[in-house]
Amino acid sequence: MLNPVDHSPASRRDQFKAAVGNVAGERRRKQAIIIGKERRDAVVRAKRMRRADDNDEGMMYDEPFSDKIINEETVRAVQELKFLFSSSSKDSSQKKIEALRKLRRLLSCSSNPPVASAVEAGVVPILVKCLEFGSSDEQLVEAAWSLTNIASGDSELTLAILPALPLLIAHLGERSAAPVAEQCAWAVGNVAGEGEQARDLLSSQGALLPLAKLLLLNKPMLVKTAAWALSNIIKGPSSKAAVELFKVDGLSEAIIRHLTKGDEELVVEIAWVVVYITSLAESQTKLLIKSGLLPPLVAWLSSSESLSLLTPVLRSVGNLVAGDNSNTDALLDAAKDLPGGLFGCLVRCLGSEHRTLQKEAAWTVSNIVAGSLQHKQLVFGSRVVPTLLHLLATSTFDVRKEAAFALGNLSVMPAGESQLPQPIMEHLSMLVERGCLPGFINLVKSPDLEASRLGLQFLELVLRGLPNGQGSKLVEKEEGLAALEVLEYHDNDDLRSMANELIDKYYGEDYGLEEEYGPGIAEVVRGGEEYPSWRKGWVVNS
């Protein structure tokens, strides 16, 4: 009995890799999630310390002071705060703020701030007390600022401020002054940057919706910080937080408004929110598209020169085309009036000097050409293909690997009932003619198992797909046979099995005999042809 055919978006992305059972959709989803640990760290830290403002007068502590002196001053500042909060003096309010400001400056002033010394001296309970309702806005900002910088440290320091979370979250509310809400959002964002457990804790304590409501405002600095904190909370792997965001009425429209009208820094943070929504929440992604997500995305993709902006925008586009084919159609339509359309935008990124953009763009193309036959043909006729071939031959390993996925998906028919991907002969022949084989053979030789498997799959496609045994000769000419022979004794069962099967099937004992001795020699060697009786009696004695 045949297994039912899987027509899900994930299965459509699995065409080229079907032979080894990898799930391309899962791979794409994981890539979107791990960006919080990988690419995002290259662009902007998951945690952020807030340094002293340029106009912050009275700054006394900076790099010339030794760590020892600053640590000692910090301990004294904490002790002073403790004394003031234990005092019932009527004129202590201003002194408390001055002491808080002094502590905050100490925690903001050097490349190695003394946050550990402050925590060890018992500062967190005092700062929590400073956040109590009825405190002045100035006191709230100073206390939240110190907590923000403590939370920007290592895990132990971040966890130390957990007792402050209920009040930090409470001050995110609409009744709080913008500077207070912004600083509390910053502290919450740093806690979220600690990892999945911290994100779950923040969600359970109700941080998500107040942060989302801040996005509705027309206060760029506050919205920017709130969006950054939100992106840290919703980055997965669970989709629950990304879905829950949309309980806030008007959120979709607010996101589109900021993408369209915001300055570059604000757009960067909003775009990261879009990255995680489009990677984790399909229904919510549809709502964003309906609200007008695509025009500003492709506009920034076409015009921006900023790596920090193009990275999340391109990642969002890649997530979209990893879904339904209708998303790709909608993106093509949204970009139709731009120079070169959507493919022109992608070629611009593929040709960037930034490796991150090259890789993201190749990943996006691989998702497009894993879609319908029409999408494959559109890409085949564009400037994307020669750019990918150039990257496959010349770029860094990770970019070459993504380019290979794109070219591999371009070479096969959309997924069907067949277990093996069926070649699109026009595409496959052209790619081979333009010299892609050495790039794939280099991947076969790679110590990276996924890349080696990818290279083997393309060689199998060439060996099986090109007529009249051309594939075997071309692969051998480019030293592909030697690469296969190296894998005959590989430790990995999949690679070893794949290499041996290809060698046995396409380079067996009779390989090359007809070329040397003429047609029919293979049958003779195998004893597969019947001869007349008079020939059977003609034996040469040795």
Side-chain angles (χ1 to χ4, degrees), residues 232-254:
N232 266 358
I233 293 177
I234 68 172
K235 65 175 58 172
S238 169
S239 64
K240 183 178 178 181
V243 171
E244 188 175 348
L245 282 182
F246 286 79
K247 292 180 179 179
V248 175
D249 291 338
L251 181 66
S252 295
E253 292 76 11

Side-chain angles (χ1 to χ4, degrees), residues 331-350:
L331 278 163
L332 289 167
D333 184 65
K336 64 184 179 183
D337 294 328
L338 297 174
L342 178 62
F343 299 144
C345 298
L346 293 174
V347 168
R348 194 170 79 95
C349 294
L350 288 168

Side-chain angles (χ1 to χ4, degrees), residues 56-99:
D56 198 353
E57 297 179 0
M59 190 69 190
M60 298 180 294
Y61 308 100
D62 215 329
E63 303 296 347
F65 289 85
S66 69
D67 288 346
K68 180 180 179 181
I69 293 175
I70 294 178
N71 283 322
E72 291 173 349
E73 287 290 330
T74 299
V75 172
R76 282 194 287 270
V78 173
Q79 297 303 325
E80 182 182 359
L81 266 179
K82 287 182 176 180
F83 172 76
L84 289 170
F85 274 87
S86 65
S87 170
S88 58
S89 173
K90 294 182 180 180
D91 62 346
S92 63
S93 295
Q94 188 58 37
K95 290 182 178 179
K96 289 176 183 177
I97 291 174
E98 290 172 0

Side-chain angles (χ1 to χ4, degrees), residues 29 32-33 233-243 274-285 319:
R29 192 71 67 200
I33 293 170
I233 293 177
I234 68 172
K235 65 175 58 172
S238 169
S239 64
K240 183 178 178 181
V243 171
V274 173
V275 165
Y276 296 115
I277 293 172
T278 55
S279 70
L280 296 167
E282 185 174 349
S283 296
Q284 286 65 35
T285 297
N319 287 341

Side-chain angles (χ1 to χ4, degrees), residues 11 46 48 55 132 325 393 488:
S11 71
R48 297 174 177 174
N55 59 356
E132 290 177 351
N325 287 332
E488 282 188 288

Side-chain angles (χ1 to χ4, degrees), residues 9-28:
S11 71
R12 289 200 296 275
R13 301 305 172 196
D14 194 26
Q15 299 159 60
F16 189 57
K17 289 168 281 182
V20 290
N22 284 336
V23 180
E26 181 181 350
R27 173 178 178 269
R28 305 306 182 194

Side-chain angles (χ1 to χ4, degrees), residues 397 401 443 446-455 490 492 495:
F397 175 78
K401 183 176 170 182
L443 292 181
S446 160
D448 181 89
L449 296 182
E450 186 180 40
S452 186
R453 187 179 292 112
L454 171 61
H490 199 279
N492 182 271
L495 297 185

